[in-house]
Amino acid sequence: GAGSSEQVRATSSHIRRRRRALHKAEADPHVSPNKLRRLRERATQPSFDILRHLAENKIGRAVSFIERKSLWYELRYKKYAPVFLGQVKPRMKFWTAALE
């Protein structure tokens, strides 16, 4: 109720739609067990802890084109010196040479 300490969450329309699909499928004898398993997985609501973990670690976050490009660049040119203040030239020298 209103006074209880446990948090009550509204179920999203997305989840409700998934659950309706699951109940329909469970009533239908022709649906395969694999299909049922998949529907069951989709109809479950993730817990607060899982959602918090995803948010904190930015998992499944929308990534902009520039971020994707820079990530690719960093992974591709790992062996070169890091970019200094957005300059491109220092990257071209090997970082081992930069240490000397």
Side-chain angles (χ1 to χ4, degrees), residues 19-34:
R19 284 183 183 162
R20 194 178 311 126
L22 174 65
H23 290 308
K24 261 187 181 168
E26 281 174 340
D28 184 4
H30 303 295
V31 178
S32 75
N34 285 332

Side-chain angles (χ1 to χ4, degrees), residues 45-76:
Q45 196 160 21
S47 68
F48 274 115
D49 296 331
I50 289 173
L51 290 172
R52 188 181 299 119
H53 170 74
L54 294 177
E56 280 173 0
N57 297 298
K58 295 184 166 71
I59 300 168
R61 183 179 58 100
V63 180
S64 72
F65 160 74
I66 288 141
E67 284 173 322
R68 250 202 321 267
K69 197 172 180 180
S70 66
L71 179 64
W72 172 84
Y73 208 76
E74 280 163 29
L75 294 174
R76 178 85 165 68

